[in-house]
Amino acid sequence: MSGAHDLVAVRLHDGVDFDEWRQRARELLRAGVAPERVSWRCDADDDLFATTDVASLPTVAAGTTVPRDFLSLAERVLAHRDARRHALLYRLLWRLTHGEPQLLRIVTDDDVMRARAWEKSVRRDLHKMKAFVRFREVRYDDRASVFVAWFEPEHFIVERVAPFFVRRFAGMHWSILTPDRAAHWDGESLRFDAGASREQAPDGDALEALWRQYYTSIFNPARLKVKAMKSEMPMKYWKNLPEASLIPQLIREAQPRAQAMVQAAPTTPRKRMTTPAPPAQDVATADSLQQIRRQAQDCRQCELYRPATQTVFGEGPADAEIMLIGEQPGDHEDLAGRPFIGPAGRLLNQALEEIGLDRKQLYVTNTVKHFKFEPQGKFRLHKRASASEQGACRAWLEAELARVQPRRIVCLGGMAASAMFGSEFRLLQERGQWRTLAEGRQAFATVHPSYLLRLPDERDREQAYRHFVRDLSLLVQNR
Ligand code: URA
């Protein structure tokens, strides 16, 4: 049995298993073991110290509840590579449950600062891994292809990030090899095993050539910002990115290519179909969402239909519980005929993913259904729809609300918020607050993702993005 001052050595089988760490931490708390007495070890630490059976320590304190904030922080910090992470987390937990319940709000506290910095570093690593894993195709005899990727994360994040790849590449058989751990997906189950070496991952293949070709085609020389690119795609990842070998040449060619683009004749976007204006539609009597979508394709309620390629109607399940309402489609949406598929849409998807919402379960639409723009050379510059254009489009949004009957609504940006809450609504003061609408629907507004993309300072952008995610997370809190 250990005395009140003895060192307690806790051995974890898996240094990144949150449930295991939480269980041990609970037992230590119940036994009243102060953080200075605990020495944390992992199976991988090869040492001769005897370890304590923590579960058998006498209970001296009742169980306490821990703020939810701490649990999510701890889950991320546990993925950090620093061996002091277990001790740091237990110290925070001890302090939170021993007279400092508001500790996490003290941003200048050393422990809190360190935990937040480690959390941020893990988040960034997660983001980079999602963006920079590249699979290569491997064929064994006549069996189906397997896709294998090699990646070197900074932290222990493979288990945390693997579900993202399962969702994204559910139909493929793939393996992600890293020095610490490997993840394997066979189309049905996800399995983890020991780390691998670089040599075990295949090198170069037809896919790689395709990827290079694709990257060259999407590379826009007029938007080249070398510094921003290096910070987004740090050079340490370049060695595993097939497209990276192209970057120096693309940078060299950027200026002449940009000049050539400016001098080139403007290309007119694909012309919309010019069917004759339909007879006035009684939107309210159309039965199904499909019917309304078809009617909207021929809308002539305002002039925006003329230059636009097509109507961009909402999409998602007709019985979705949640509806997201944006402002108006942009260039990408106009060409594809789908809402939120351009850069703002990608940021929105990322935020939804962070809070564990599957976009496919949501109904996503816009206040105005046509792209409004001003041609400038080769480009089409976004222009805000006027109040009368917004009013002309109102019937379509009403029809979507009436058919989908969402229980909860999120307005993205001021235009959608005014449509739902009236023009008095002040977005920056009233964002992130639930309101009750007609038929008992709950709704709140937050900023538009393209507002985040426009912020010039990276730090401001990161902060504004976190705030945006926090607002959206209202959707997953108990209501
Ligand atoms: N911005 C919007 O408001 N909606 C879209 O669909 C795309 C960008």
Side-chain angles (χ1 to χ4, degrees):
M1 180 176 296
S2 87
H5 302 288
D6 295 347
L7 196 66
V8 175
V10 180
R11 186 173 291 279
L12 298 168
H13 296 296
D14 182 342
V16 288
D17 179 342
F18 183 62
D19 291 335
E20 187 189 18
W21 177 86
R22 182 150 76 153
Q23 182 60 27
R24 294 290 90 78
R26 268 201 198 122
E27 289 159 1
L28 289 166
L29 271 189
R30 272 204 301 266
V33 181
E36 341 34 288
R37 291 177 50 211
V38 186
S39 155
W40 294 89
R41 289 153 204 288
C42 294
D43 262 356
D45 304 337
D46 184 14
D47 63 36
L48 301 170
F49 276 94
T51 51
T52 315
D53 176 8
V54 186
S56 68
L57 294 176
T59 299
V60 300
T64 43
T65 47
V66 175
R68 198 187 274 240
D69 264 14
F70 172 75
L71 294 178
S72 51
L73 173 74
E75 212 169 342
R76 289 200 195 92
V77 170
L78 206 61
H80 198 278
R81 194 169 285 278
D82 197 300
R84 295 164 298 172
R85 64 192 182 280
H86 307 108
L88 171 68
L89 288 175
Y90 185 59
R91 201 157 56 244
L92 282 171
L93 180 60
W94 178 268
R95 293 176 60 192
L96 280 164
T97 53
H98 287 77
E100 298 179 76
Q102 302 301 325
L103 175 62
L104 295 185
R105 301 221 173 129
I106 307 175
V107 291
T108 50
D109 180 273
D110 282 351
D111 286 341
V112 175
M113 270 199 307
R114 174 166 296 172
R116 292 282 180 216
W118 286 0
E119 178 189 37
K120 188 168 172 197
S121 175
V122 168
R123 261 188 212 280
R124 191 174 153 82
D125 205 27
L126 286 166
H127 174 67
K128 297 294 176 209
M129 185 158 174
K130 287 178 188 171
F132 298 139
V133 160
R134 298 284 181 267
F135 289 100
R136 277 139 175 160
E137 189 174 11
V138 181
R139 275 178 204 278
Y140 294 115
D141 314 325
D142 53 356
R143 276 178 287 168
S145 297
V146 178
F147 293 83
V148 181
W150 169 254
F151 194 76
E152 294 166 55
E154 206 170 319
H155 302 297
F156 302 120
I157 56 171
V158 176
E159 281 92 341
R160 281 166 178 79
V161 85
F164 164 86
F165 289 100
V166 169
R167 285 194 298 278
R168 167 119 356 139
F169 302 111
M172 283 167 32
H173 291 197
W174 53 255
S175 293
I176 301 176
L177 312 179
T178 82
D180 305 303
R181 207 152 290 201
H184 309 279
W185 171 251
D186 61 8
E188 280 175 10
S189 59
L190 184 61
R191 201 165 51 72
F192 296 97
D193 61 28
S197 67
R198 176 77 186 85
E199 294 69 49
Q200 288 170 270
D203 233 351
D205 63 358
L207 269 195
E208 190 163 306
L210 258 182
W211 177 259
R212 283 208 184 102
Q213 202 177 22
Y214 165 75
Y215 186 80
T216 308
S217 74
I218 59 161
F219 183 86
N220 181 348
R223 297 219 177 127
L224 177 68
K225 290 198 183 90
V226 177
K227 201 161 152 235
M229 183 162 104
K230 285 183 178 164
S231 117
E232 240 334 277
M233 194 199 271
M235 291 177 80
K236 68 178 172 187
Y237 298 110
W238 287 23
K239 62 180 184 291
N240 296 319
L241 297 176
E243 69 272 31
S245 62
L246 298 169
I247 293 173
Q249 189 190 349
L250 288 170
I251 291 176
R252 270 197 311 279
E253 291 172 355
Q255 221 196 347
R257 277 184 67 197
Q259 251 160 18
M261 270 170 68
V262 170
Q263 281 156 9
T267 55
T268 334
R270 188 155 58 88
K271 216 46 220 123
R272 70 182 303 282
M273 286 175 6
T274 49
T275 49
Q281 307 284 0
D282 186 356
V283 173
T285 59
D287 292 334
S288 70
L289 206 53
Q290 269 317 326
Q291 236 175 320
I292 299 168
R293 173 175 288 120
R294 275 196 299 276
Q295 289 180 350
Q297 287 307 325
D298 293 324
C299 181
R300 305 280 194 277
Q301 297 298 319
C302 73
E303 288 301 298
L304 290 186
Y305 79 91
R306 285 187 189 281
T309 310
Q310 57 198 313
T311 304
V312 180
F313 203 72
E315 67 175 21
D319 59 352
E321 196 198 314
I322 298 173
M323 182 182 282
L324 303 188
I325 308 175
E327 304 203 318
Q328 58 194 74
D331 188 77
H332 292 81
E333 289 79 14
D334 171 74
L335 295 173
R338 296 181 51 211
F340 282 104
I341 54 133
R346 285 197 292 277
L347 193 63
L348 174 65
N349 293 349
Q350 180 187 321
L352 291 172
E353 202 166 279
E354 269 196 44
I355 59 168
L357 274 185
D358 180 0
R359 170 163 166 175
K360 288 202 232 44
Q361 310 290 322
L362 316 180
Y363 189 87
V364 180
T365 190
N366 282 304
T367 314
V368 170
K369 310 281 194 266
H370 277 122
F371 177 39
K372 182 174 182 183
F373 61 92
E374 208 166 67
Q376 195 172 92
K378 195 177 157 65
F379 303 103
R380 303 189 295 167
L381 296 187
H382 171 94
K383 222 173 152 208
R384 186 179 172 83
S386 66
S388 73
E389 288 155 349
Q390 292 173 42
C393 232
R394 177 80 197 192
W396 300 119
L397 182 58
E398 293 290 354
E400 288 175 298
L401 286 163
R403 298 310 179 289
V404 179
Q405 293 280 348
R407 247 183 9 92
R408 290 179 288 164
I409 296 172
V410 181
C411 302
L412 299 167
M415 187 189 289
S418 302
M420 287 292 101
F421 306 134
S423 55
E424 301 293 286
F425 186 83
R426 291 288 159 262
L427 183 62
L428 293 183
Q429 282 101 59
E430 301 176 82
R431 65 185 286 186
Q433 294 171 26
W434 286 109
R435 291 177 161 224
T436 304
L437 296 175
E439 301 178 46
R441 279 184 197 129
Q442 299 292 301
F444 70 84
T446 183
V447 295
H448 194 281
S450 51
Y451 157 78
L452 306 174
L453 293 171
R454 285 194 301 269
L455 290 173
D457 182 78
E458 192 183 348
R459 222 182 257 200
D460 293 346
R461 210 162 48 235
E462 168 71 18
Q463 238 173 27
Y465 173 72
R466 297 263 59 93
H467 194 171
F468 176 63
V469 173
R470 215 161 51 239
D471 285 347
L472 289 180
S473 69
L474 287 172
L475 288 169
V476 292
Q477 286 163 16
N478 287 339
R479 301 195 29 78

